[in-house]
Amino acid sequence: MSRYKKIVLLKDTKEDKSTKRFYDLLLSKLREKELVDSIQVVRAADIGLYDKGVVFKIFPENIVYAHVKEEDIDSIIDKTLIKNKIIEDLVFKPQDKQLRIVLRNCGIVDPENIDDYICQDGYQAFKKVLLKKSQDYVIEEMKISGLRGRGGGGFPTWMKWSFAKGVSSDQKFVICNADEGDPGAYMDRSVLEGDPHSVLEGMMISGYAIGATKGFLYIRAEYPLAIKRIDIAIKQAREYGLLGENILGSGFNFDLEIRLGAGAFVCGEETALIASIEGKRGCPKPRPPYPSIKGLWDKPTVINNVETLANIPIILFKGGQWFSSIGTEKSKGTKVFALTGKVKNSGLVEVPMGTTLREIVFDIGGGVFEDKKIKAIQTGGPSGGVIPVDYFDTPVEYESLQKLGSIMGSGGMIVMDETDCMIDIAKFYLGFCVEESCGKCAPCRIGGTQLLGLLTKISEGKGELDDLRKLKVISLGMQKASLCGLGQTAANPVLSTIKFFNEEYLLHIKEKRCPAGKCSNLFSYTIIEEKCKRCGLCLRNCPVGAITGDKNQGYVIDQEKCIQCGRCFEVCRFLAIRR
Ligand SMILES: Cc1cc2nc3c(=O)[nH]c(=O)nc-3n(C[C@H](O)[C@H](O)[C@H](O)COP(=O)(O)O)c2cc1C
Ligand code: SF4
Ligand code: SF4
């Protein structure tokens, strides 16, 4: 790369337009000073810094300036870019625990330029192992690293590779699972879009380690930019001789192809995914045999998640020991989370394993939106569970989350406050699984529908105490008897909400009350006469004309017409609407 410096201009989500103005201004000043050939400016969507205004990250020094104003641009160019001097007043020193290993290149490299990736030591690990190291060396280094699969199950990556390597076969495959179907999750999409070559390099190393000749990237069709960038990256890797026959003169043949998923959540399950690539209906199969022994077209196949694969080049480059020094005893490295819900700074965060939920939600996420009372966090998507705020000092690692009835999953984290109803949350996730179940086995197909029926009954105020017992019995049956992970884990949100928020279930069942004000059958809106200042704002905002009256008589809500949208409750400045 001929350019010696690079500025990353970060997008501040709240000030997108001003960031564009900054970008244009900066470019015009660089042009004026004839610096455009030596300094590259990249607009990055997300590098894990929130509420810091416009941020400049300057490479190779890795200087971060936050809350940059337009009038700072001249001095940044003159002092930092030309004279290499740091402007102390602008420097931002991160206080939180974020550590970017998986996202190391996102927002830093141009994802459509292989040279940019190579400049960040890209393809060095592949070259090293291919030309100088054995397959056993690679697997041993992975074992030392302690990397576990990031697709949800947390299975040791080296072990899967070693099983596949151990089987003799005329052909073997590697697959990148980029189906990412959990609601709220976009970790994998960000890696594919921001650093596609790291995923390809991970696949090449995996292919070499097990002796595969071909790899497939199974990407959901709703990710057009990711597909485009992976396609460009594959073509560039072929041009550079990193894919194809006799790679770098080593005698190793390996190539990659993209396959598109049609958006079924169950197709992320490895056996369903394999069926889908084979052109069959995406339904799970019983295991064993596991894909590493008998997978795609009955050949040994290693399936790894996008994030797992993006870790591999840097592990082989820096060594397994380096990776295993990060994280906890049983959960090594970092994990990327999509932090969403009622949190001030939502976005992608990457933290070392062992970081507590509290540090993620408060130190990085900035706490709860509108300073409401925090209630819980949902981890692991539809297969996960809800963890109450009392357990926020729990370190994030595979085992500790499991102990609480949740899972790490692929990395969705949804923060909930006092206005979130736990029955409503359980209903949402269960509804998703019922919708996405392939219907092949009865425990999932029938059990899921029965659970949803019971939750709906409770949320409508028709629940009975015995429904709680039924919910538990059906859930345990689904966990034990379902064929695949979808059915085995679909009841987790139900069981964890019953475990931690039993009181809320009892209020719905016994008192027909929804304390969060979410279950619309369990409350009505009325106007508190003594508090009403007769401003008429509620009347003007009611979308269905359910409020009548005037300044002289006061206002009333017609319960027949009211659709419980809550608009009047939200707009009233005098807290004169009761729910
Ligand atoms: C219903 C269901 C959906 C899944 N979806 C995904 C997915 O979108 N991406 C993924 O990597 N793994 C997904 N998995 C897990 C895969 O079956 C498999 O364990 C994973 O791809 C292995 O990669 P890893 O070892 O790198 O985690 C899903 C599992 C189930 C049961
Ligand atoms: S558990 Fe559900 S999704 Fe999985 S095979 Fe059975 S019916 Fe299909
Ligand atoms: S809750 Fe909605 S529909 Fe009902 S009175 Fe208020 S604004 Fe009108």
Side-chain angles (χ1 to χ4, degrees):
M1 196 165 64
S2 59
R3 295 160 177 149
Y4 71 90
K5 268 190 197 294
K6 180 182 293 191
I7 301 170
V8 178
L9 177 59
L10 297 181
K11 178 173 128 182
D12 179 349
T13 45
K14 287 179 197 139
E15 297 174 2
D16 195 18
K17 277 191 195 139
S18 80
T19 315
K20 167 84 177 81
R21 211 176 48 239
F22 258 78
Y23 178 75
D24 294 340
L25 192 63
L26 178 61
L27 274 192
S28 76
K29 286 188 185 282
L30 289 174
R31 248 180 247 117
E32 262 171 39
K33 294 174 195 265
E34 298 183 351
L35 288 169
V36 275
D37 289 336
S38 55
I39 293 170
Q40 186 184 3
V41 183
V42 179
R43 291 186 78 195
D46 187 343
I47 66 157
L49 292 172
Y50 310 106
D51 274 357
K52 302 283 175 291
V54 175
V55 179
F56 279 30
K57 208 168 186 190
I58 299 167
F59 290 90
E61 297 87 349
N62 204 4
I63 301 164
V64 182
Y65 289 152
H67 298 292
V68 177
K69 309 253 171 339
E70 284 181 14
E71 52 270 29
D72 297 324
I73 291 180
D74 280 321
S75 62
I76 291 177
I77 295 176
D78 295 339
K79 291 188 183 148
T80 309
L81 297 179
I82 297 177
K83 295 184 185 146
N84 285 328
K85 292 218 166 87
I86 292 176
I87 307 168
E88 290 297 339
D89 289 352
L90 290 176
V91 169
F92 172 71
K93 295 190 181 88
Q95 303 290 313
D96 62 47
K97 276 195 154 179
Q98 292 197 67
L99 174 65
R100 293 166 76 89
I101 293 178
V102 175
L103 300 173
R104 60 195 179 277
N105 291 327
C106 291
I108 291 167
V109 296
D110 173 355
E112 299 188 9
N113 184 349
I114 190 171
D115 290 334
D116 250 23
Y117 180 67
I118 290 171
C119 278
Q120 301 293 329
D121 297 321
Y123 291 116
Q124 293 303 314
F126 177 53
K127 197 172 139 199
K128 176 178 94 176
V129 299
L130 189 63
L131 302 181
K132 297 193 182 142
K133 305 285 181 187
S134 66
Q135 293 171 297
D136 288 332
Y137 167 86
V138 177
I139 291 175
E140 185 55 28
E141 212 55 32
M142 291 302 295
K143 186 175 178 182
I144 294 168
S145 78
L147 178 70
R148 295 167 67 175
R150 304 298 197 233
F155 194 78
T157 306
W158 73 270
M159 211 184 271
K160 223 185 241 190
W161 292 14
S162 140
F163 291 149
K165 178 182 174 277
V167 182
S168 67
S169 173
D170 57 341
Q171 192 164 26
K172 296 182 189 178
F173 297 105
V174 295
I175 295 175
C176 166
N177 189 342
D179 199 44
E180 197 168 52
D182 301 22
Y186 59 100
M187 300 77 56
D188 294 348
R189 174 167 65 83
S190 304
V191 176
L192 294 168
E193 288 178 0
D195 191 16
H197 284 285
S198 72
V199 181
L200 302 196
E201 190 179 358
M203 293 183 78
M204 293 170 191
I205 293 170
S206 158
Y208 170 71
I210 69 160
T213 50
K214 180 105 197 174
F216 292 93
L217 293 110
Y218 187 86
I219 312 176
R220 61 191 298 113
E222 291 99 323
Y223 284 179
L225 185 60
I227 295 162
K228 178 185 154 210
R229 292 198 168 151
I230 287 289
D231 188 45
I232 292 172
I234 291 175
K235 287 185 179 129
Q236 290 176 343
R238 278 198 201 118
E239 270 171 34
Y240 276 55
L242 295 162
L243 287 173
E245 304 275 305
N246 190 21
I247 297 169
L248 304 178
S250 65
F252 175 57
N253 305 328
F254 185 72
D255 213 341
L256 290 170
E257 265 183 48
I258 297 175
R259 287 286 184 276
L260 301 189
F265 177 56
V266 75
C267 280
E269 193 280 337
E270 56 189 22
T271 59
L273 187 152
I274 286 174
S276 173
I277 294 183
E278 287 173 348
K280 300 177 189 148
R281 189 175 158 192
C283 275
K285 281 191 201 153
R287 297 172 308 171
Y290 288 92
S292 45
I293 308 294
K294 200 172 171 193
L296 190 61
W297 293 296
D298 289 342
K299 306 289 181 190
T301 303
V302 160
I303 302 190
N304 277 127
N305 165 261
V306 171
E307 192 180 327
T308 313
L309 288 162
N311 270 303
I312 289 161
I314 194 156
I315 291 176
L316 270 304
F317 184 72
K318 292 196 171 185
Q321 205 70 54
W322 162 79
F323 190 81
S324 78
S325 69
I326 301 158
T328 65
E329 195 195 335
K330 290 187 178 165
S331 301
K332 301 295 186 189
T334 58
K335 179 78 193 85
V336 182
F337 292 103
L339 185 64
T340 54
K342 308 285 176 52
V343 71
K344 279 184 192 152
N345 310 324
S346 55
L348 279 194
V349 301
E350 182 174 357
V351 286
M353 295 279 193
T355 305
T356 65
L357 290 168
R358 191 175 301 282
E359 286 169 316
I360 296 174
V361 174
F362 290 96
D363 298 350
I364 302 172
V368 176
F369 217 43
E370 292 173 358
D371 291 322
K372 289 218 167 71
K373 209 170 142 203
I374 196 159
K375 189 166 180 179
I377 191 163
Q378 212 279 352
T379 69
S383 314
V386 176
I387 301 172
V389 66
D390 298 351
Y391 294 84
F392 271 23
D393 290 318
T394 305
V396 171
E397 46 182 3
Y398 291 97
E399 281 73 21
S400 60
L401 294 182
Q402 244 162 16
K403 251 189 227 158
L404 290 175
S406 189
I407 55 165
M408 177 93 70
S410 54
M413 265 191 180
I414 302 174
V415 178
M416 291 158 191
D417 68 16
E418 56 195 321
T419 63
D420 289 302
C421 164
M422 290 299 134
I423 288 92
D424 191 58
I425 296 291
K427 239 172 77 182
F428 168 77
Y429 282 111
L430 196 75
F432 176 82
C433 288
V434 167
E435 187 82 2
E436 296 292 331
S437 162
C438 77
K440 183 170 173 174
C441 68
C444 169
R445 187 181 65 241
I446 301 171
T449 311
Q450 284 179 336
L451 285 185
L452 192 58
L454 287 166
L455 289 175
T456 307
K457 193 178 150 196
I458 294 171
S459 71
E460 287 177 350
K462 299 170 192 157
E464 299 155 57
L465 274 179
D466 194 44
D467 291 338
L468 284 178
R469 186 192 57 83
K470 288 182 190 160
L471 283 172
K472 285 183 202 160
V473 170
I474 299 168
S475 297
L476 295 176
M478 285 175 71
Q479 283 183 336
K480 288 223 152 47
S482 294
L483 174 61
C484 84
L486 193 153
Q488 286 157 9
T489 58
N492 284 356
V494 182
L495 288 174
S496 73
T497 48
I498 293 181
K499 177 175 167 190
F500 292 119
F501 296 94
N502 199 43
E503 197 56 34
E504 204 164 318
Y505 275 86
L506 293 177
L507 284 176
H508 281 72
I509 294 171
K510 288 192 194 163
E511 296 183 25
K512 312 296 173 205
R513 211 153 61 75
C514 173
K518 269 272 150 49
C519 300
S520 58
N521 275 30
L522 301 187
F523 58 83
S524 58
Y525 289 97
T526 50
I527 295 171
I528 309 166
E529 246 188 275
E530 312 81 69
K531 287 194 177 176
C532 176
K533 303 276 186 231
R534 302 191 176 181
C535 70
L537 200 60
C538 57
L539 179 141
R540 292 196 293 280
N541 276 278
C542 176
V544 292
I547 303 179
T548 52
D550 56 35
K551 280 188 190 326
N552 298 325
Q553 293 169 15
Y555 299 93
V556 281
I557 297 176
D558 181 343
Q559 298 300 331
E560 293 289 308
K561 279 193 185 166
C562 174
I563 54 165
Q564 270 109 14
C565 70
R567 191 74 193 113
C568 54
F569 184 81
E570 284 164 17
V571 295
C572 181
R573 291 186 296 246
F574 309 106
L575 304 176
I577 311 279
R578 180 190 291 125
R579 183 157 68 180

